[in-house]
Amino acid sequence: MTAQTDLLYSETEDDLRSAVRALLADRAGHQALLDRIETDDPYVPGLWKSLAGDIGAAGLLVPEKLGGQGASHREAAVVLEELGRAVTPLPYLTSAVVATETLLGLAGEGGGPAVDLLAELASGRTVAVLAVPLSTAPDAEPFPPGAPAAEPSPSAVTGAGPLPASTVAGVADAVAADVLLVPRADGLYAVPAGEAAVEPQVPLDLTRPLARVTPAPGSGTRLADGEAARAAVRRGLLTGAGLLASEQLGLAERCLEETVRYTRERHQFNRPVGSFQALKHRMAQLWLDVVGARAAARAAADALATGAPDAPLTVAVAQAYCSKVAVRAAEECVQLHGGIGMTWEHPAHLALKRAKSDQIALGSAGRHQDAIAALMDLPAPA
């Protein structure tokens, strides 16, 4: 963390939060989600258009000259906090963050297919998903074996066409995608969803659908090859991991608020159960954990927004910490709600499943702890 790190929310960010929270409360309350999660389509109809297009959230990371809002990762983090609070099934993290940031890594100063696709994503008219498993960490190798580490020769680029991509399982929000960003051995390709087989899988978190994706051989348009493709994908995954911490923060905050509210209302022995000393201590400790998670998540968002040199370290710290806090907050929410918290009708299980899914998304806590050790040159225990 640098001395210039700003953990506070600006007035603009607070206004954006209010708009997003009002929209989700009106269109995607917990009952609406509970009514849809066991259907083939958990996404609330029209909600993506309202959030991405009408509010403009899809283009927050995209510069104005490329058709976006010209905001930053700090504003995108606020949107993710609210989506985490409501456990909303929307492809925001996958499309407006990971895929968008990947394309920004290829946009450069000129035009080209990456720039054209960015404008579509920023408008909210198109959803794009990076076709890698949801568990892929920022320092992982998502390209198939044989991918060149440097720019291929001209003969390789203009040869017999793109190399085929193998089936990839566990791709989040692929069922909602219009375009798939597919890493192949010879580069990164934009493949229309209609040119790929997308087979839904059964996820733990029913609000973030997973699918098995198999692009058709020879399909798609090459966006980049060699190291440019690798660097762009690493950029997208790092940003996704950093802003995922904000989703985890929002989820943890909501779980704590709901737990405190319920324990004030629920009475035993003619007293609110929240007045019992043991429960006070548990909720006080959870509050401290959430405050720490807020600092870590905001630091990651600010580091990404400012292009700080230590952004990979700050992101790894945020993920290693926030993923655990979100799970603990959700577990406490279920347990301290008592019997009602264990039922399918109560939304606490939505939060717990999202928290557990997020815990291994874009790298597990252990993977990020290993990254911290490597970045800080900390030797492993003998």
PDB file of all heavy atoms in Angstrom, residues 351-372:
ATOM      1  N   ALA A 351     -26.320 -16.162   0.263  1.00  0.00           N
ATOM      2  CA  ALA A 351     -25.074 -15.487   0.629  1.00  0.00           C
ATOM      3  C   ALA A 351     -23.968 -16.489   0.921  1.00  0.00           C
ATOM      4  O   ALA A 351     -22.813 -16.304   0.515  1.00  0.00           O
ATOM      5  CB  ALA A 351     -25.306 -14.590   1.840  1.00  0.00           C
ATOM      6  N   LEU A 352     -24.302 -17.571   1.624  1.00  0.00           N
ATOM      7  CA  LEU A 352     -23.280 -18.562   1.971  1.00  0.00           C
ATOM      8  C   LEU A 352     -22.730 -19.232   0.718  1.00  0.00           C
ATOM      9  O   LEU A 352     -21.510 -19.413   0.579  1.00  0.00           O
ATOM     10  CB  LEU A 352     -23.873 -19.605   2.920  1.00  0.00           C
ATOM     11  CG  LEU A 352     -22.917 -20.715   3.360  1.00  0.00           C
ATOM     12  CD1 LEU A 352     -21.678 -20.152   4.043  1.00  0.00           C
ATOM     13  CD2 LEU A 352     -23.629 -21.700   4.288  1.00  0.00           C
ATOM     14  N   LYS A 353     -23.581 -19.581  -0.198  1.00  0.00           N
ATOM     15  CA  LYS A 353     -23.116 -20.244  -1.416  1.00  0.00           C
ATOM     16  C   LYS A 353     -22.311 -19.294  -2.299  1.00  0.00           C
ATOM     17  O   LYS A 353     -21.320 -19.693  -2.909  1.00  0.00           O
ATOM     18  CB  LYS A 353     -24.307 -20.826  -2.178  1.00  0.00           C
ATOM     19  CG  LYS A 353     -24.939 -22.017  -1.466  1.00  0.00           C
ATOM     20  CD  LYS A 353     -26.252 -22.424  -2.089  1.00  0.00           C
ATOM     21  CE  LYS A 353     -26.891 -23.557  -1.293  1.00  0.00           C
ATOM     22  NZ  LYS A 353     -28.246 -23.883  -1.765  1.00  0.00           N
ATOM     23  N   ARG A 354     -22.719 -18.020  -2.374  1.00  0.00           N
ATOM     24  CA  ARG A 354     -21.931 -17.055  -3.135  1.00  0.00           C
ATOM     25  C   ARG A 354     -20.558 -16.865  -2.467  1.00  0.00           C
ATOM     26  O   ARG A 354     -19.535 -16.796  -3.151  1.00  0.00           O
ATOM     27  CB  ARG A 354     -22.665 -15.721  -3.231  1.00  0.00           C
ATOM     28  CG  ARG A 354     -21.854 -14.574  -3.839  1.00  0.00           C
ATOM     29  CD  ARG A 354     -21.484 -14.813  -5.297  1.00  0.00           C
ATOM     30  NE  ARG A 354     -22.618 -14.761  -6.175  1.00  0.00           N
ATOM     31  CZ  ARG A 354     -23.102 -13.651  -6.740  1.00  0.00           C
ATOM     32  NH1 ARG A 354     -22.533 -12.485  -6.493  1.00  0.00           N
ATOM     33  NH2 ARG A 354     -24.142 -13.712  -7.558  1.00  0.00           N
ATOM     34  N   ALA A 355     -20.536 -16.792  -1.144  1.00  0.00           N
ATOM     35  CA  ALA A 355     -19.271 -16.601  -0.443  1.00  0.00           C
ATOM     36  C   ALA A 355     -18.338 -17.788  -0.657  1.00  0.00           C
ATOM     37  O   ALA A 355     -17.126 -17.613  -0.873  1.00  0.00           O
ATOM     38  CB  ALA A 355     -19.518 -16.384   1.050  1.00  0.00           C
ATOM     39  N   LYS A 356     -18.867 -19.000  -0.601  1.00  0.00           N
ATOM     40  CA  LYS A 356     -18.029 -20.185  -0.809  1.00  0.00           C
ATOM     41  C   LYS A 356     -17.551 -20.259  -2.250  1.00  0.00           C
ATOM     42  O   LYS A 356     -16.409 -20.650  -2.515  1.00  0.00           O
ATOM     43  CB  LYS A 356     -18.806 -21.448  -0.450  1.00  0.00           C
ATOM     44  CG  LYS A 356     -19.107 -21.612   1.024  1.00  0.00           C
ATOM     45  CD  LYS A 356     -17.840 -21.745   1.858  1.00  0.00           C
ATOM     46  CE  LYS A 356     -17.102 -23.032   1.619  1.00  0.00           C
ATOM     47  NZ  LYS A 356     -15.920 -23.187   2.513  1.00  0.00           N
ATOM     48  N   SER A 357     -18.404 -19.884  -3.190  1.00  0.00           N
ATOM     49  CA  SER A 357     -17.999 -19.876  -4.592  1.00  0.00           C
ATOM     50  C   SER A 357     -16.920 -18.827  -4.836  1.00  0.00           C
ATOM     51  O   SER A 357     -15.907 -19.077  -5.507  1.00  0.00           O
ATOM     52  CB  SER A 357     -19.215 -19.600  -5.478  1.00  0.00           C
ATOM     53  OG  SER A 357     -18.839 -19.436  -6.827  1.00  0.00           O
ATOM     54  N   ASP A 358     -17.112 -17.630  -4.257  1.00  0.00           N
ATOM     55  CA  ASP A 358     -16.125 -16.565  -4.411  1.00  0.00           C
ATOM     56  C   ASP A 358     -14.791 -16.916  -3.766  1.00  0.00           C
ATOM     57  O   ASP A 358     -13.743 -16.391  -4.155  1.00  0.00           O
ATOM     58  CB  ASP A 358     -16.646 -15.262  -3.795  1.00  0.00           C
ATOM     59  CG  ASP A 358     -17.655 -14.548  -4.687  1.00  0.00           C
ATOM     60  OD1 ASP A 358     -17.896 -15.038  -5.817  1.00  0.00           O
ATOM     61  OD2 ASP A 358     -18.200 -13.519  -4.267  1.00  0.00           O
ATOM     62  N   GLN A 359     -14.829 -17.775  -2.768  1.00  0.00           N
ATOM     63  CA  GLN A 359     -13.599 -18.120  -2.042  1.00  0.00           C
ATOM     64  C   GLN A 359     -12.586 -18.818  -2.939  1.00  0.00           C
ATOM     65  O   GLN A 359     -11.377 -18.733  -2.691  1.00  0.00           O
ATOM     66  CB  GLN A 359     -13.948 -19.011  -0.841  1.00  0.00           C
ATOM     67  CG  GLN A 359     -12.799 -19.181   0.145  1.00  0.00           C
ATOM     68  CD  GLN A 359     -13.215 -19.961   1.374  1.00  0.00           C
ATOM     69  OE1 GLN A 359     -14.050 -20.869   1.309  1.00  0.00           O
ATOM     70  NE2 GLN A 359     -12.643 -19.631   2.518  1.00  0.00           N
ATOM     71  N   ILE A 360     -13.064 -19.493  -3.975  1.00  0.00           N
ATOM     72  CA  ILE A 360     -12.134 -20.158  -4.895  1.00  0.00           C
ATOM     73  C   ILE A 360     -12.138 -19.507  -6.275  1.00  0.00           C
ATOM     74  O   ILE A 360     -11.433 -19.958  -7.176  1.00  0.00           O
ATOM     75  CB  ILE A 360     -12.465 -21.661  -5.037  1.00  0.00           C
ATOM     76  CG1 ILE A 360     -13.882 -21.871  -5.563  1.00  0.00           C
ATOM     77  CG2 ILE A 360     -12.264 -22.384  -3.722  1.00  0.00           C
ATOM     78  CD1 ILE A 360     -14.195 -23.318  -5.913  1.00  0.00           C
ATOM     79  N   ALA A 361     -12.916 -18.442  -6.446  1.00  0.00           N
ATOM     80  CA  ALA A 361     -12.949 -17.752  -7.735  1.00  0.00           C
ATOM     81  C   ALA A 361     -11.692 -16.906  -7.908  1.00  0.00           C
ATOM     82  O   ALA A 361     -11.244 -16.238  -6.978  1.00  0.00           O
ATOM     83  CB  ALA A 361     -14.192 -16.864  -7.827  1.00  0.00           C
ATOM     84  N   LEU A 362     -11.120 -16.958  -9.115  1.00  0.00           N
ATOM     85  CA  LEU A 362      -9.944 -16.153  -9.456  1.00  0.00           C
ATOM     86  C   LEU A 362      -8.800 -16.375  -8.474  1.00  0.00           C
ATOM     87  O   LEU A 362      -8.051 -15.462  -8.152  1.00  0.00           O
ATOM     88  CB  LEU A 362     -10.332 -14.676  -9.541  1.00  0.00           C
ATOM     89  CG  LEU A 362     -11.384 -14.363 -10.614  1.00  0.00           C
ATOM     90  CD1 LEU A 362     -11.908 -12.946 -10.470  1.00  0.00           C
ATOM     91  CD2 LEU A 362     -10.823 -14.594 -12.003  1.00  0.00           C
ATOM     92  N   GLY A 363      -8.668 -17.607  -8.016  1.00  0.00           N
ATOM     93  CA  GLY A 363      -7.581 -17.979  -7.119  1.00  0.00           C
ATOM     94  C   GLY A 363      -8.054 -18.137  -5.689  1.00  0.00           C
ATOM     95  O   GLY A 363      -8.755 -17.277  -5.158  1.00  0.00           O
ATOM     96  N   SER A 364      -7.675 -19.228  -5.050  1.00  0.00           N
ATOM     97  CA  SER A 364      -8.050 -19.454  -3.653  1.00  0.00           C
ATOM     98  C   SER A 364      -7.231 -18.553  -2.734  1.00  0.00           C
ATOM     99  O   SER A 364      -6.226 -17.949  -3.139  1.00  0.00           O
ATOM    100  CB  SER A 364      -7.807 -20.918  -3.275  1.00  0.00           C
ATOM    101  OG  SER A 364      -6.413 -21.203  -3.350  1.00  0.00           O
ATOM    102  N   ALA A 365      -7.645 -18.487  -1.465  1.00  0.00           N
ATOM    103  CA  ALA A 365      -6.896 -17.688  -0.497  1.00  0.00           C
ATOM    104  C   ALA A 365      -5.462 -18.199  -0.374  1.00  0.00           C
ATOM    105  O   ALA A 365      -4.515 -17.411  -0.284  1.00  0.00           O
ATOM    106  CB  ALA A 365      -7.601 -17.726   0.860  1.00  0.00           C
ATOM    107  N   GLY A 366      -5.304 -19.515  -0.389  1.00  0.00           N
ATOM    108  CA  GLY A 366      -3.958 -20.083  -0.315  1.00  0.00           C
ATOM    109  C   GLY A 366      -3.107 -19.700  -1.516  1.00  0.00           C
ATOM    110  O   GLY A 366      -1.908 -19.415  -1.366  1.00  0.00           O
ATOM    111  N   ARG A 367      -3.716 -19.669  -2.701  1.00  0.00           N
ATOM    112  CA  ARG A 367      -2.982 -19.279  -3.901  1.00  0.00           C
ATOM    113  C   ARG A 367      -2.525 -17.821  -3.786  1.00  0.00           C
ATOM    114  O   ARG A 367      -1.391 -17.479  -4.151  1.00  0.00           O
ATOM    115  CB  ARG A 367      -3.877 -19.468  -5.127  1.00  0.00           C
ATOM    116  CG  ARG A 367      -3.251 -19.118  -6.477  1.00  0.00           C
ATOM    117  CD  ARG A 367      -2.176 -20.125  -6.863  1.00  0.00           C
ATOM    118  NE  ARG A 367      -1.617 -19.841  -8.160  1.00  0.00           N
ATOM    119  CZ  ARG A 367      -1.923 -20.513  -9.279  1.00  0.00           C
ATOM    120  NH1 ARG A 367      -2.791 -21.511  -9.244  1.00  0.00           N
ATOM    121  NH2 ARG A 367      -1.343 -20.215 -10.417  1.00  0.00           N
ATOM    122  N   HIS A 368      -3.372 -16.972  -3.253  1.00  0.00           N
ATOM    123  CA  HIS A 368      -2.998 -15.566  -3.105  1.00  0.00           C
ATOM    124  C   HIS A 368      -1.965 -15.377  -1.992  1.00  0.00           C
ATOM    125  O   HIS A 368      -1.113 -14.485  -2.077  1.00  0.00           O
ATOM    126  CB  HIS A 368      -4.242 -14.718  -2.855  1.00  0.00           C
ATOM    127  CG  HIS A 368      -5.114 -14.565  -4.067  1.00  0.00           C
ATOM    128  ND1 HIS A 368      -4.755 -13.782  -5.137  1.00  0.00           N
ATOM    129  CD2 HIS A 368      -6.299 -15.130  -4.395  1.00  0.00           C
ATOM    130  CE1 HIS A 368      -5.703 -13.849  -6.071  1.00  0.00           C
ATOM    131  NE2 HIS A 368      -6.644 -14.656  -5.636  1.00  0.00           N
ATOM    132  N   GLN A 369      -2.025 -16.209  -0.969  1.00  0.00           N
ATOM    133  CA  GLN A 369      -0.990 -16.140   0.070  1.00  0.00           C
ATOM    134  C   GLN A 369       0.365 -16.543  -0.501  1.00  0.00           C
ATOM    135  O   GLN A 369       1.396 -15.938  -0.166  1.00  0.00           O
ATOM    136  CB  GLN A 369      -1.373 -17.049   1.239  1.00  0.00           C
ATOM    137  CG  GLN A 369      -2.531 -16.491   2.063  1.00  0.00           C
ATOM    138  CD  GLN A 369      -3.079 -17.490   3.066  1.00  0.00           C
ATOM    139  OE1 GLN A 369      -2.887 -18.697   2.940  1.00  0.00           O
ATOM    140  NE2 GLN A 369      -3.769 -16.993   4.075  1.00  0.00           N
ATOM    141  N   ASP A 370       0.363 -17.530  -1.371  1.00  0.00           N
ATOM    142  CA  ASP A 370       1.618 -17.905  -2.044  1.00  0.00           C
ATOM    143  C   ASP A 370       2.126 -16.748  -2.907  1.00  0.00           C
ATOM    144  O   ASP A 370       3.337 -16.502  -2.983  1.00  0.00           O
ATOM    145  CB  ASP A 370       1.397 -19.139  -2.917  1.00  0.00           C
ATOM    146  CG  ASP A 370       1.191 -20.407  -2.094  1.00  0.00           C
ATOM    147  OD1 ASP A 370       1.540 -20.405  -0.895  1.00  0.00           O
ATOM    148  OD2 ASP A 370       0.676 -21.392  -2.645  1.00  0.00           O
ATOM    149  N   ALA A 371       1.204 -16.038  -3.555  1.00  0.00           N
ATOM    150  CA  ALA A 371       1.606 -14.890  -4.371  1.00  0.00           C
ATOM    151  C   ALA A 371       2.213 -13.793  -3.508  1.00  0.00           C
ATOM    152  O   ALA A 371       3.205 -13.156  -3.891  1.00  0.00           O
ATOM    153  CB  ALA A 371       0.393 -14.357  -5.143  1.00  0.00           C
ATOM    154  N   ILE A 372       1.619 -13.569  -2.337  1.00  0.00           N
ATOM    155  CA  ILE A 372       2.179 -12.572  -1.418  1.00  0.00           C
ATOM    156  C   ILE A 372       3.601 -12.949  -1.023  1.00  0.00           C
ATOM    157  O   ILE A 372       4.511 -12.106  -1.027  1.00  0.00           O
ATOM    158  CB  ILE A 372       1.287 -12.443  -0.169  1.00  0.00           C
ATOM    159  CG1 ILE A 372      -0.075 -11.862  -0.540  1.00  0.00           C
ATOM    160  CG2 ILE A 372       1.962 -11.565   0.889  1.00  0.00           C
ATOM    161  CD1 ILE A 372      -1.093 -11.931   0.578  1.00  0.00           C
TER     162      ILE A 372
END
